[in-house]
Amino acid sequence: MAQTIVVTSIPQFSHQSSIIKFSKRLIHLHNQFHVTCIFPTIDAPIPATLKLLDSLPSSITCTFLPPINKQDLPQDGPLQILLAVSQSMPAFRDSLISLRSSTRVVSIVADLLVSQALEIAKEFNLLSFIYFPLSAMVSSLHLHLLSLHEQISCEYIDHTEPILIPGCVPIRGQDLPSVFLMDRSSLVYELVLRHTKNFSLADGVLVNSFSEMEENTMRALTRNDHNNNKTQLVYLVGPILQTGLETEPKGSDCEKWLENQTQNSVLYVCFGSGGTLSQEQINELAFGLELSGVKFLWVLREPSNSKNVDYQSASNDDDNILKFLPQGFLERTKEHGLVVPFWAPQTQILSHTSIGGFLTHCGWNSILESIMLGVPTITWPLFADQRMNAILLIESLKVGLEVKFNENGIAEREEISNVIRDLMLGEKRSVIQQKIEELKDVAKGALGEDGSSTRTLSQFVTLMESHASHELIKH
C-alpha cells in the first residue's frame, strides 16, 4: 500500500499554489510518497488552482471539500476564509477516513490557518506539520504570538516601543500583518490566536524560505521554546515558487516589447494578483513613471479604495481598465512604456534581460521570484504580511529601495520618480545589484543536490519514514 501525505490549505490561491508546489518538489526528490491535497472551498474551487493541478504528476491528487456558500459567510475577506475553513473541518475528517481505507496515510501537512487539521492528525496518531508559505520572519511572529499577546496589553498599532520577534530586526507595531492591526477583541484576531495555540500539536514546522537568507531567524526558531516546552523541528525548505501558470506563449506583446529594449533598462510594476490602488494613487504612480524617464512595463488593475480585492474569478474588460489612466498618459509614454491590463506572465518578464528593477507589493512569492531571478526591488507594501517582507528586503537583505508615503498614505509623483531613478540609474544601483546577484546564487544553491533546503527536506522525509516504520511494527 502506498504511503500518502495529506496536505491542506486555506481557500486562497497564493496559499494553495505554494503548498502544491511544495508537494511537487517533495515528490520529485522522494518518489516513494503520494500526496493528496484536501482543500476547503468557498462556492467553487479556485480556477487558477484547477489550472495548476492540470500540470501535476499522477502521484499528486486533489480533493475539494463540499463548498461553503459565500452568501452564508461574512464579506470580510480574512474572516470569510477562517470561518469557511472551520465549517469544512467535519468534511475534512470524513475525507481523511475515506482516504485511510484505501491508502496508508503517514502525515498531515497543514497551512498555518488550518490548524484544526493538527487536532485530527492526533486523533489518528499521524505525524503533523505546519506549513508556512511565508518568510521565516513572519513565521517567527506567528510562532511567538502567544508570548507577544501576553507581553503587550494595548493594541499593537498603538505600541510605541519596537516589537522584538526572535531572530528578526525590531519592527514597529504598525508594520505587523493586517490581521494584527485589527481590534484585539475582533473575531479575526481571536481565531488567529486560536490557530497559534494549536501549533503546539505539530511535530514540526515547514517554512518557505532558506537558511542562508534568514539565518538568524532560523537559529532563533530552532533555539527558542515557542510551544509550551515542546521541541519542534523547523525545516526551511524554500524557495518554493508558484510559477505554474506562465502560459502566455513566446512572441506575446509583452515579450515582443521587451525584446526591443536594452539590457536592465525596464522597470516592471506589478502589485500581485489582488493588490489595488485608489484612483488618486494610480494617477500619482502614472505621473511618477512619466517624470522618471525610465522605461516601464506596468500591470494595471481597476482602482479600488480597498487595497486587497479578490481577482481570482473576476472578468475584466482590458480596454476599459486603460480609461483609469490620466488623460494623454498612454500617448505621452508610448515610446518608453507599456501598460498591460489586468495580468502579465510575471516569471517570463522578470527573467528577461531587459528588466532592471521590480516595483512590487512585496507578496512573498513575488519577493522569492525577484531573488531567484536577481532583480532589485522597489518596495510598495499594501496589506497582509507585506510590510514585514519589505522590512526584510530593505533592512536585513539590503536588496531594494522603499517608496515613502505622505501623511494621507499616498506616494507622491516626485517621490516615486526619485526612487525609480535611484534604483535604475543612481549610484546605489551597483551595490544593490551585486547583493541580489549574490543572494540569487545562494538561493539556487539551497535547491541544489546538496543544498541546505534539499538536505532539510530529506530530514523531514526521514522523520516520516521512521514514524511509519514504528507504526508498522506496533501493528
Side-chain angles (χ1 to χ4, degrees), residues 5-8 15-31 33-39 53 56-57 59-61 109 131 206 237 240 457 460:
I5 301 166
V6 169
V7 305
T8 185
H15 285 240
Q16 290 182 350
S17 56
S18 183
I19 208 165
I20 288 170
K21 287 291 180 179
F22 162 74
S23 302
K24 189 173 181 179
R25 176 160 169 77
L26 174 67
I27 293 297
H28 174 70
L29 295 173
H30 303 277
N31 59 13
F33 293 104
H34 286 190
V35 172
T36 297
C37 308
I38 303 179
F39 289 155
L53 292 171
L56 295 179
S59 51
I60 301 177
T61 57
V109 177
Y131 180 76
L206 297 154
V237 295
I240 293 163
L457 196 57
F460 165 69

Side-chain angles (χ1 to χ4, degrees), residues 53-97:
L53 292 171
D54 287 341
S55 65
L56 295 179
S58 59
S59 51
I60 301 177
T61 57
C62 190
T63 297
F64 292 97
L65 296 175
I68 305 299
N69 191 333
K70 191 173 186 176
Q71 298 304 314
D72 297 334
L73 296 166
Q75 294 310 297
D76 172 77
L79 184 56
Q80 183 182 94
I81 287 172
L82 291 168
L83 291 178
V85 167
S86 295
Q87 292 177 29
S88 297
M89 283 302 103
F92 176 87
R93 185 179 181 279
D94 292 343
S95 183
L96 181 64
I97 291 172

Side-chain angles (χ1 to χ4, degrees), residues 41 134 147 164 197 210 244 256 321 348 357 386 396 430 471:
T41 304
L134 311 167
S147 59
L164 303 178
K197 291 174 181 176
F210 55 102
K256 287 177 183 176
I321 290 177
Q348 286 182 19
Q386 293 162 14
S396 296
S430 60
E471 288 300 303

